[in-house]
Amino acid sequence: MKKPSPTSQQEPTQSIDLDRDGNAAELFAALLDTADTGLVALAPDRTICHWNQWMQTRSGLSSQEVMGKALHDVFPETGMGRVSVAIEDCLKFGMPAVISPSLNQGALPLSPLPQFAASFDRMEQSIRVHPIKTKNNGTLCSLIIRDVTLAVQRDRLLRKQASELADLVTQSKRSEDRTKAILQNTIDAILVASDDGTIEPLNSRAQELCGPEGDPELRNIIRFLLPDSDHIQITAPPPDRLLTDLGTGVIEVLAFTKTGRTVPLEVAISHFSADQRYHYIITLRDISQRKRHEMEIQRTMAELERSNSELEQFAYAASHDLQEPLRMVSSYTQLIARRYQGQLDDTADEFIHYAVDGTQRMQRMIDDLLTLSRVGRHGKPFHPVPLDDLFDAIVVNFKRAGSAPEGNIVREGHLPTVTGDASQLLLLFQNLVSNGLKYSDPENGRVRIFAADTPGSYRIFVADNGIGIDPQYHETIFEIFKRLHGYGDYAGTGIGLAICKKITDRHGGILSVTSAPGEGSTFCVELPKELPIVAATESM
């Protein structure tokens, strides 16, 4: 069977001859109208001879409204600026031009797409000006307007991000410089260590202590102190290089400088994670001055303790040694008073009375001095002391002595149990009650004892209705031998309140008074619920 030839099966193609059909102008006009850019043609007289569909949509003006008009007449409110100059150069000299958005500044008032309306008042444009030479109409000027609003928006965003990044870099650089300045000028040595034992000095002080010219043993000590140092091959430092027990939480080590000077250092270690590894920040603080101050304080405390001990021994020895000669003087003055009273004249009897009274007062002063010296030297260990039982004993003592009428000592409410030396607390409150009775009316005098509880202490009050104390003497009355009245007015040596103050101090408490003349006095003994270190040490 004979195959048909290809030519017999295909229809002949008919080529389009635009010139023959006369539709070239129509085709080109359609292409211009459907372009995605704005196309404007200007005649030699500067009037518009072409205005495509894109321009009609973006300007809101039809071609019938603009044809035959000058561009500046179509947009009278807009200053063309660079566009007008480019059009003139194009028509006069045939010079093309490209005007970027930064130069035209939205020369033609064309509307942006809806998605850009919130950020742009008018479309951002790139305008290309180009001459077109024709046979019949001479040189025309074409304007090709492209919508570059999206590009401008992206450019603005990029510029903003670049500016923020530049600010961030500047701030980071400034922060880095400030951090370096702080590190270099701090008095502490700062190092960073990795979990593999690598140690890097971060400032000049650390370089001085741990660098090539520093103490070679110090790096080994730091590795030894790291929390995860078990897997690092190190040797334990010499015992004399660790100044404190590692279990106390405060780490102090001893370093040696190149000059041979020893430097005590306080070590602080903190950690952070980076690069999936543990790193440690080590701070070494020179505590030489603090150690010197501690030694000075210890030396001063030792001297003060020795001085107090010597004073107490002196007071005890002096008062004890004065007992015998005073006893002899007292015995003979009393013997003279009994044997010769009434046999001599009145003046002699008066002199004998003064001598006997003086020796008796001297005896009481020596006894009180002995009591005062024993507060610190012969104190007993501290134990719980129920104050209710203590004040019951005080009332019994006053009744036996006949110095307090029935009902003159009143206890209001329950009294707490405190920790202290029972015999000294008995002396303390007995002296306060005795003072309250002494400076009150013998018949109507009344002393009240009551207590108040605070978060950290017990307050025990001893209040009387006596003559009161002027506020200017509220501190003075606790000093030794300080009396506000003559010996003839009220009995006493002026040591009783000083003894109370010393006993309160030994118990870590505070003794104070609230009073005014004629309104009675209220003494407050505030004792801590937990003994301070000094008081606890003295109580052992």
PDB file of all heavy atoms in Angstrom, residues 119-150:
ATOM      1  N   SER A 119       1.035  52.503  53.117  1.00  0.00           N
ATOM      2  CA  SER A 119       2.397  52.991  53.346  1.00  0.00           C
ATOM      3  C   SER A 119       2.823  54.061  52.346  1.00  0.00           C
ATOM      4  O   SER A 119       3.773  54.803  52.618  1.00  0.00           O
ATOM      5  CB  SER A 119       3.396  51.824  53.279  1.00  0.00           C
ATOM      6  OG  SER A 119       3.058  50.827  54.216  1.00  0.00           O
ATOM      7  N   PHE A 120       2.156  54.153  51.197  1.00  0.00           N
ATOM      8  CA  PHE A 120       2.585  55.086  50.150  1.00  0.00           C
ATOM      9  C   PHE A 120       1.385  55.925  49.690  1.00  0.00           C
ATOM     10  O   PHE A 120       0.310  55.381  49.381  1.00  0.00           O
ATOM     11  CB  PHE A 120       3.173  54.328  48.951  1.00  0.00           C
ATOM     12  CG  PHE A 120       4.442  53.596  49.263  1.00  0.00           C
ATOM     13  CD1 PHE A 120       4.406  52.285  49.761  1.00  0.00           C
ATOM     14  CD2 PHE A 120       5.677  54.188  49.085  1.00  0.00           C
ATOM     15  CE1 PHE A 120       5.566  51.603  50.054  1.00  0.00           C
ATOM     16  CE2 PHE A 120       6.839  53.511  49.366  1.00  0.00           C
ATOM     17  CZ  PHE A 120       6.795  52.228  49.856  1.00  0.00           C
ATOM     18  N   ASP A 121       1.591  57.245  49.628  1.00  0.00           N
ATOM     19  CA  ASP A 121       0.538  58.139  49.124  1.00  0.00           C
ATOM     20  C   ASP A 121       0.391  58.019  47.606  1.00  0.00           C
ATOM     21  O   ASP A 121      -0.699  58.152  47.070  1.00  0.00           O
ATOM     22  CB  ASP A 121       0.846  59.589  49.489  1.00  0.00           C
ATOM     23  CG  ASP A 121       0.814  59.806  50.991  1.00  0.00           C
ATOM     24  OD1 ASP A 121       0.085  59.055  51.670  1.00  0.00           O
ATOM     25  OD2 ASP A 121       1.520  60.706  51.493  1.00  0.00           O
ATOM     26  N   ARG A 122       1.502  57.823  46.902  1.00  0.00           N
ATOM     27  CA  ARG A 122       1.480  57.676  45.450  1.00  0.00           C
ATOM     28  C   ARG A 122       2.470  56.594  45.036  1.00  0.00           C
ATOM     29  O   ARG A 122       3.322  56.185  45.816  1.00  0.00           O
ATOM     30  CB  ARG A 122       1.812  58.989  44.759  1.00  0.00           C
ATOM     31  CG  ARG A 122       3.185  59.545  45.122  1.00  0.00           C
ATOM     32  CD  ARG A 122       3.501  60.802  44.334  1.00  0.00           C
ATOM     33  NE  ARG A 122       2.538  61.863  44.585  1.00  0.00           N
ATOM     34  CZ  ARG A 122       2.565  63.045  43.976  1.00  0.00           C
ATOM     35  NH1 ARG A 122       3.489  63.282  43.052  1.00  0.00           N
ATOM     36  NH2 ARG A 122       1.687  63.973  44.257  1.00  0.00           N
ATOM     37  N   MET A 123       2.324  56.135  43.847  1.00  0.00           N
ATOM     38  CA  MET A 123       3.175  55.069  43.338  1.00  0.00           C
ATOM     39  C   MET A 123       4.626  55.548  43.224  1.00  0.00           C
ATOM     40  O   MET A 123       4.893  56.660  42.775  1.00  0.00           O
ATOM     41  CB  MET A 123       2.671  54.619  41.967  1.00  0.00           C
ATOM     42  CG  MET A 123       3.510  53.509  41.342  1.00  0.00           C
ATOM     43  SD  MET A 123       3.387  53.521  39.536  1.00  0.00           S
ATOM     44  CE  MET A 123       1.633  53.495  39.306  1.00  0.00           C
ATOM     45  N   GLU A 124       5.541  54.684  43.626  1.00  0.00           N
ATOM     46  CA  GLU A 124       6.951  54.950  43.389  1.00  0.00           C
ATOM     47  C   GLU A 124       7.276  54.499  41.968  1.00  0.00           C
ATOM     48  O   GLU A 124       6.935  53.378  41.557  1.00  0.00           O
ATOM     49  CB  GLU A 124       7.810  54.200  44.400  1.00  0.00           C
ATOM     50  CG  GLU A 124       7.667  54.702  45.837  1.00  0.00           C
ATOM     51  CD  GLU A 124       8.204  56.104  46.020  1.00  0.00           C
ATOM     52  OE1 GLU A 124       9.127  56.496  45.272  1.00  0.00           O
ATOM     53  OE2 GLU A 124       7.702  56.824  46.907  1.00  0.00           O
ATOM     54  N   GLN A 125       7.926  55.368  41.166  1.00  0.00           N
ATOM     55  CA  GLN A 125       8.080  55.135  39.735  1.00  0.00           C
ATOM     56  C   GLN A 125       9.551  55.184  39.307  1.00  0.00           C
ATOM     57  O   GLN A 125      10.336  55.936  39.871  1.00  0.00           O
ATOM     58  CB  GLN A 125       7.313  56.211  38.946  1.00  0.00           C
ATOM     59  CG  GLN A 125       5.895  56.409  39.410  1.00  0.00           C
ATOM     60  CD  GLN A 125       5.412  57.834  39.212  1.00  0.00           C
ATOM     61  OE1 GLN A 125       5.835  58.508  38.258  1.00  0.00           O
ATOM     62  NE2 GLN A 125       4.533  58.283  40.087  1.00  0.00           N
ATOM     63  N   SER A 126       9.822  54.369  38.311  1.00  0.00           N
ATOM     64  CA  SER A 126      11.071  54.491  37.561  1.00  0.00           C
ATOM     65  C   SER A 126      10.676  54.910  36.143  1.00  0.00           C
ATOM     66  O   SER A 126       9.923  54.190  35.464  1.00  0.00           O
ATOM     67  CB  SER A 126      11.837  53.165  37.546  1.00  0.00           C
ATOM     68  OG  SER A 126      12.940  53.264  36.663  1.00  0.00           O
ATOM     69  N   ILE A 127      11.161  56.073  35.685  1.00  0.00           N
ATOM     70  CA  ILE A 127      10.714  56.641  34.403  1.00  0.00           C
ATOM     71  C   ILE A 127      11.888  56.629  33.427  1.00  0.00           C
ATOM     72  O   ILE A 127      12.969  57.140  33.724  1.00  0.00           O
ATOM     73  CB  ILE A 127      10.201  58.085  34.611  1.00  0.00           C
ATOM     74  CG1 ILE A 127       9.063  58.097  35.641  1.00  0.00           C
ATOM     75  CG2 ILE A 127       9.738  58.674  33.282  1.00  0.00           C
ATOM     76  CD1 ILE A 127       8.566  59.475  35.996  1.00  0.00           C
ATOM     77  N   ARG A 128      11.618  56.018  32.275  1.00  0.00           N
ATOM     78  CA  ARG A 128      12.629  55.986  31.210  1.00  0.00           C
ATOM     79  C   ARG A 128      12.152  56.918  30.091  1.00  0.00           C
ATOM     80  O   ARG A 128      11.069  56.739  29.527  1.00  0.00           O
ATOM     81  CB  ARG A 128      12.809  54.571  30.679  1.00  0.00           C
ATOM     82  CG  ARG A 128      13.878  54.433  29.611  1.00  0.00           C
ATOM     83  CD  ARG A 128      13.966  52.989  29.131  1.00  0.00           C
ATOM     84  NE  ARG A 128      15.004  52.826  28.138  1.00  0.00           N
ATOM     85  CZ  ARG A 128      16.282  52.564  28.413  1.00  0.00           C
ATOM     86  NH1 ARG A 128      16.648  52.426  29.684  1.00  0.00           N
ATOM     87  NH2 ARG A 128      17.170  52.419  27.457  1.00  0.00           N
ATOM     88  N   VAL A 129      12.959  57.915  29.770  1.00  0.00           N
ATOM     89  CA  VAL A 129      12.648  58.896  28.722  1.00  0.00           C
ATOM     90  C   VAL A 129      13.523  58.584  27.507  1.00  0.00           C
ATOM     91  O   VAL A 129      14.749  58.492  27.626  1.00  0.00           O
ATOM     92  CB  VAL A 129      12.904  60.336  29.229  1.00  0.00           C
ATOM     93  CG1 VAL A 129      12.556  61.357  28.148  1.00  0.00           C
ATOM     94  CG2 VAL A 129      12.115  60.597  30.511  1.00  0.00           C
ATOM     95  N   HIS A 130      12.836  58.417  26.328  1.00  0.00           N
ATOM     96  CA  HIS A 130      13.606  58.007  25.144  1.00  0.00           C
ATOM     97  C   HIS A 130      13.007  58.685  23.892  1.00  0.00           C
ATOM     98  O   HIS A 130      11.781  58.767  23.743  1.00  0.00           O
ATOM     99  CB  HIS A 130      13.557  56.484  24.974  1.00  0.00           C
ATOM    100  CG  HIS A 130      14.655  55.951  24.105  1.00  0.00           C
ATOM    101  ND1 HIS A 130      14.579  55.949  22.725  1.00  0.00           N
ATOM    102  CD2 HIS A 130      15.866  55.402  24.411  1.00  0.00           C
ATOM    103  CE1 HIS A 130      15.682  55.432  22.234  1.00  0.00           C
ATOM    104  NE2 HIS A 130      16.492  55.084  23.236  1.00  0.00           N
ATOM    105  N   PRO A 131      13.873  59.185  23.019  1.00  0.00           N
ATOM    106  CA  PRO A 131      13.354  59.805  21.786  1.00  0.00           C
ATOM    107  C   PRO A 131      12.926  58.752  20.775  1.00  0.00           C
ATOM    108  O   PRO A 131      13.518  57.664  20.686  1.00  0.00           O
ATOM    109  CB  PRO A 131      14.546  60.608  21.282  1.00  0.00           C
ATOM    110  CG  PRO A 131      15.746  59.857  21.793  1.00  0.00           C
ATOM    111  CD  PRO A 131      15.344  59.284  23.118  1.00  0.00           C
ATOM    112  N   ILE A 132      11.864  59.057  19.972  1.00  0.00           N
ATOM    113  CA  ILE A 132      11.379  58.174  18.907  1.00  0.00           C
ATOM    114  C   ILE A 132      11.305  59.021  17.624  1.00  0.00           C
ATOM    115  O   ILE A 132      10.559  60.010  17.570  1.00  0.00           O
ATOM    116  CB  ILE A 132       9.991  57.605  19.225  1.00  0.00           C
ATOM    117  CG1 ILE A 132      10.032  56.793  20.530  1.00  0.00           C
ATOM    118  CG2 ILE A 132       9.472  56.736  18.074  1.00  0.00           C
ATOM    119  CD1 ILE A 132       8.678  56.285  20.972  1.00  0.00           C
ATOM    120  N   LYS A 133      12.087  58.652  16.644  1.00  0.00           N
ATOM    121  CA  LYS A 133      12.118  59.405  15.379  1.00  0.00           C
ATOM    122  C   LYS A 133      11.145  58.783  14.388  1.00  0.00           C
ATOM    123  O   LYS A 133      11.170  57.581  14.157  1.00  0.00           O
ATOM    124  CB  LYS A 133      13.524  59.421  14.814  1.00  0.00           C
ATOM    125  CG  LYS A 133      14.513  60.199  15.672  1.00  0.00           C
ATOM    126  CD  LYS A 133      15.902  60.242  15.057  1.00  0.00           C
ATOM    127  CE  LYS A 133      16.866  61.040  15.925  1.00  0.00           C
ATOM    128  NZ  LYS A 133      18.222  61.124  15.331  1.00  0.00           N
ATOM    129  N   THR A 134      10.277  59.608  13.834  1.00  0.00           N
ATOM    130  CA  THR A 134       9.305  59.166  12.814  1.00  0.00           C
ATOM    131  C   THR A 134       9.546  59.906  11.508  1.00  0.00           C
ATOM    132  O   THR A 134      10.189  60.961  11.469  1.00  0.00           O
ATOM    133  CB  THR A 134       7.874  59.435  13.308  1.00  0.00           C
ATOM    134  OG1 THR A 134       7.697  60.838  13.459  1.00  0.00           O
ATOM    135  CG2 THR A 134       7.608  58.746  14.660  1.00  0.00           C
ATOM    136  N   LYS A 135       8.990  59.335  10.406  1.00  0.00           N
ATOM    137  CA  LYS A 135       9.190  59.963   9.093  1.00  0.00           C
ATOM    138  C   LYS A 135       8.333  61.208   8.929  1.00  0.00           C
ATOM    139  O   LYS A 135       8.765  62.215   8.381  1.00  0.00           O
ATOM    140  CB  LYS A 135       8.865  58.974   7.991  1.00  0.00           C
ATOM    141  CG  LYS A 135       9.795  57.768   7.936  1.00  0.00           C
ATOM    142  CD  LYS A 135       9.386  56.821   6.819  1.00  0.00           C
ATOM    143  CE  LYS A 135      10.317  55.620   6.746  1.00  0.00           C
ATOM    144  NZ  LYS A 135       9.919  54.696   5.666  1.00  0.00           N
ATOM    145  N   ASN A 136       7.103  61.105   9.425  1.00  0.00           N
ATOM    146  CA  ASN A 136       6.171  62.179   9.148  1.00  0.00           C
ATOM    147  C   ASN A 136       6.050  63.190  10.287  1.00  0.00           C
ATOM    148  O   ASN A 136       5.810  64.378  10.048  1.00  0.00           O
ATOM    149  CB  ASN A 136       4.791  61.591   8.860  1.00  0.00           C
ATOM    150  CG  ASN A 136       4.813  60.654   7.659  1.00  0.00           C
ATOM    151  OD1 ASN A 136       5.578  60.878   6.714  1.00  0.00           O
ATOM    152  ND2 ASN A 136       4.006  59.608   7.693  1.00  0.00           N
ATOM    153  N   ASN A 137       6.208  62.714  11.549  1.00  0.00           N
ATOM    154  CA  ASN A 137       5.929  63.588  12.699  1.00  0.00           C
ATOM    155  C   ASN A 137       7.192  64.082  13.402  1.00  0.00           C
ATOM    156  O   ASN A 137       7.126  64.707  14.462  1.00  0.00           O
ATOM    157  CB  ASN A 137       5.046  62.859  13.710  1.00  0.00           C
ATOM    158  CG  ASN A 137       3.703  62.486  13.113  1.00  0.00           C
ATOM    159  OD1 ASN A 137       3.114  63.272  12.360  1.00  0.00           O
ATOM    160  ND2 ASN A 137       3.230  61.284  13.421  1.00  0.00           N
ATOM    161  N   GLY A 138       8.340  63.785  12.873  1.00  0.00           N
ATOM    162  CA  GLY A 138       9.566  64.245  13.515  1.00  0.00           C
ATOM    163  C   GLY A 138       9.892  63.417  14.750  1.00  0.00           C
ATOM    164  O   GLY A 138       9.548  62.226  14.836  1.00  0.00           O
ATOM    165  N   THR A 139      10.566  64.016  15.704  1.00  0.00           N
ATOM    166  CA  THR A 139      10.998  63.317  16.928  1.00  0.00           C
ATOM    167  C   THR A 139       9.910  63.403  17.990  1.00  0.00           C
ATOM    168  O   THR A 139       9.473  64.499  18.376  1.00  0.00           O
ATOM    169  CB  THR A 139      12.294  63.925  17.482  1.00  0.00           C
ATOM    170  OG1 THR A 139      13.313  63.828  16.469  1.00  0.00           O
ATOM    171  CG2 THR A 139      12.731  63.194  18.728  1.00  0.00           C
ATOM    172  N   LEU A 140       9.517  62.195  18.476  1.00  0.00           N
ATOM    173  CA  LEU A 140       8.577  62.103  19.605  1.00  0.00           C
ATOM    174  C   LEU A 140       9.354  61.758  20.889  1.00  0.00           C
ATOM    175  O   LEU A 140      10.487  61.278  20.827  1.00  0.00           O
ATOM    176  CB  LEU A 140       7.521  61.046  19.330  1.00  0.00           C
ATOM    177  CG  LEU A 140       6.706  61.183  18.048  1.00  0.00           C
ATOM    178  CD1 LEU A 140       5.701  60.038  17.950  1.00  0.00           C
ATOM    179  CD2 LEU A 140       6.002  62.537  17.983  1.00  0.00           C
ATOM    180  N   CYS A 141       8.690  61.963  21.987  1.00  0.00           N
ATOM    181  CA  CYS A 141       9.306  61.612  23.302  1.00  0.00           C
ATOM    182  C   CYS A 141       8.438  60.560  23.964  1.00  0.00           C
ATOM    183  O   CYS A 141       7.230  60.784  24.178  1.00  0.00           O
ATOM    184  CB  CYS A 141       9.403  62.846  24.197  1.00  0.00           C
ATOM    185  SG  CYS A 141      10.077  62.464  25.843  1.00  0.00           S
ATOM    186  N   SER A 142       9.048  59.415  24.263  1.00  0.00           N
ATOM    187  CA  SER A 142       8.297  58.349  24.939  1.00  0.00           C
ATOM    188  C   SER A 142       8.682  58.290  26.427  1.00  0.00           C
ATOM    189  O   SER A 142       9.859  58.433  26.783  1.00  0.00           O
ATOM    190  CB  SER A 142       8.575  56.999  24.281  1.00  0.00           C
ATOM    191  OG  SER A 142       9.903  56.587  24.537  1.00  0.00           O
ATOM    192  N   LEU A 143       7.656  58.079  27.231  1.00  0.00           N
ATOM    193  CA  LEU A 143       7.859  57.879  28.674  1.00  0.00           C
ATOM    194  C   LEU A 143       7.411  56.475  29.026  1.00  0.00           C
ATOM    195  O   LEU A 143       6.251  56.112  28.763  1.00  0.00           O
ATOM    196  CB  LEU A 143       7.061  58.894  29.494  1.00  0.00           C
ATOM    197  CG  LEU A 143       7.330  60.389  29.262  1.00  0.00           C
ATOM    198  CD1 LEU A 143       6.449  61.232  30.177  1.00  0.00           C
ATOM    199  CD2 LEU A 143       8.789  60.728  29.509  1.00  0.00           C
ATOM    200  N   ILE A 144       8.321  55.690  29.550  1.00  0.00           N
ATOM    201  CA  ILE A 144       7.984  54.343  30.018  1.00  0.00           C
ATOM    202  C   ILE A 144       8.031  54.380  31.543  1.00  0.00           C
ATOM    203  O   ILE A 144       9.093  54.588  32.145  1.00  0.00           O
ATOM    204  CB  ILE A 144       8.968  53.298  29.475  1.00  0.00           C
ATOM    205  CG1 ILE A 144       8.992  53.333  27.943  1.00  0.00           C
ATOM    206  CG2 ILE A 144       8.608  51.908  29.997  1.00  0.00           C
ATOM    207  CD1 ILE A 144      10.023  52.412  27.345  1.00  0.00           C
ATOM    208  N   ILE A 145       6.879  54.226  32.193  1.00  0.00           N
ATOM    209  CA  ILE A 145       6.768  54.332  33.670  1.00  0.00           C
ATOM    210  C   ILE A 145       6.591  52.936  34.241  1.00  0.00           C
ATOM    211  O   ILE A 145       5.632  52.221  33.890  1.00  0.00           O
ATOM    212  CB  ILE A 145       5.577  55.231  34.065  1.00  0.00           C
ATOM    213  CG1 ILE A 145       5.751  56.657  33.498  1.00  0.00           C
ATOM    214  CG2 ILE A 145       5.461  55.281  35.578  1.00  0.00           C
ATOM    215  CD1 ILE A 145       4.968  56.905  32.246  1.00  0.00           C
ATOM    216  N   ARG A 146       7.504  52.543  35.122  1.00  0.00           N
ATOM    217  CA  ARG A 146       7.430  51.235  35.782  1.00  0.00           C
ATOM    218  C   ARG A 146       7.080  51.445  37.254  1.00  0.00           C
ATOM    219  O   ARG A 146       7.579  52.363  37.917  1.00  0.00           O
ATOM    220  CB  ARG A 146       8.762  50.483  35.672  1.00  0.00           C
ATOM    221  CG  ARG A 146       9.146  50.120  34.250  1.00  0.00           C
ATOM    222  CD  ARG A 146      10.441  49.313  34.238  1.00  0.00           C
ATOM    223  NE  ARG A 146      10.296  48.050  34.963  1.00  0.00           N
ATOM    224  CZ  ARG A 146       9.808  46.932  34.431  1.00  0.00           C
ATOM    225  NH1 ARG A 146       9.418  46.919  33.172  1.00  0.00           N
ATOM    226  NH2 ARG A 146       9.721  45.836  35.129  1.00  0.00           N
ATOM    227  N   ASP A 147       6.228  50.568  37.766  1.00  0.00           N
ATOM    228  CA  ASP A 147       5.847  50.607  39.187  1.00  0.00           C
ATOM    229  C   ASP A 147       6.930  49.897  40.003  1.00  0.00           C
ATOM    230  O   ASP A 147       7.102  48.673  39.899  1.00  0.00           O
ATOM    231  CB  ASP A 147       4.489  49.919  39.373  1.00  0.00           C
ATOM    232  CG  ASP A 147       3.990  50.014  40.828  1.00  0.00           C
ATOM    233  OD1 ASP A 147       4.741  50.513  41.682  1.00  0.00           O
ATOM    234  OD2 ASP A 147       2.840  49.592  41.074  1.00  0.00           O
ATOM    235  N   VAL A 148       7.674  50.669  40.753  1.00  0.00           N
ATOM    236  CA  VAL A 148       8.765  50.089  41.579  1.00  0.00           C
ATOM    237  C   VAL A 148       8.446  50.250  43.065  1.00  0.00           C
ATOM    238  O   VAL A 148       9.344  50.277  43.916  1.00  0.00           O
ATOM    239  CB  VAL A 148      10.118  50.755  41.235  1.00  0.00           C
ATOM    240  CG1 VAL A 148      10.548  50.398  39.826  1.00  0.00           C
ATOM    241  CG2 VAL A 148      10.049  52.255  41.431  1.00  0.00           C
ATOM    242  N   THR A 149       7.166  50.361  43.394  1.00  0.00           N
ATOM    243  CA  THR A 149       6.783  50.546  44.808  1.00  0.00           C
ATOM    244  C   THR A 149       7.257  49.376  45.667  1.00  0.00           C
ATOM    245  O   THR A 149       7.772  49.569  46.784  1.00  0.00           O
ATOM    246  CB  THR A 149       5.261  50.701  44.924  1.00  0.00           C
ATOM    247  OG1 THR A 149       4.820  51.741  44.040  1.00  0.00           O
ATOM    248  CG2 THR A 149       4.861  51.057  46.341  1.00  0.00           C
ATOM    249  N   LEU A 150       7.091  48.143  45.183  1.00  0.00           N
ATOM    250  CA  LEU A 150       7.533  46.973  45.949  1.00  0.00           C
ATOM    251  C   LEU A 150       9.034  47.024  46.189  1.00  0.00           C
ATOM    252  O   LEU A 150       9.517  46.737  47.293  1.00  0.00           O
ATOM    253  CB  LEU A 150       7.140  45.699  45.218  1.00  0.00           C
ATOM    254  CG  LEU A 150       7.591  44.382  45.867  1.00  0.00           C
ATOM    255  CD1 LEU A 150       6.996  44.244  47.258  1.00  0.00           C
ATOM    256  CD2 LEU A 150       7.218  43.182  44.989  1.00  0.00           C
TER     257      LEU A 150
END
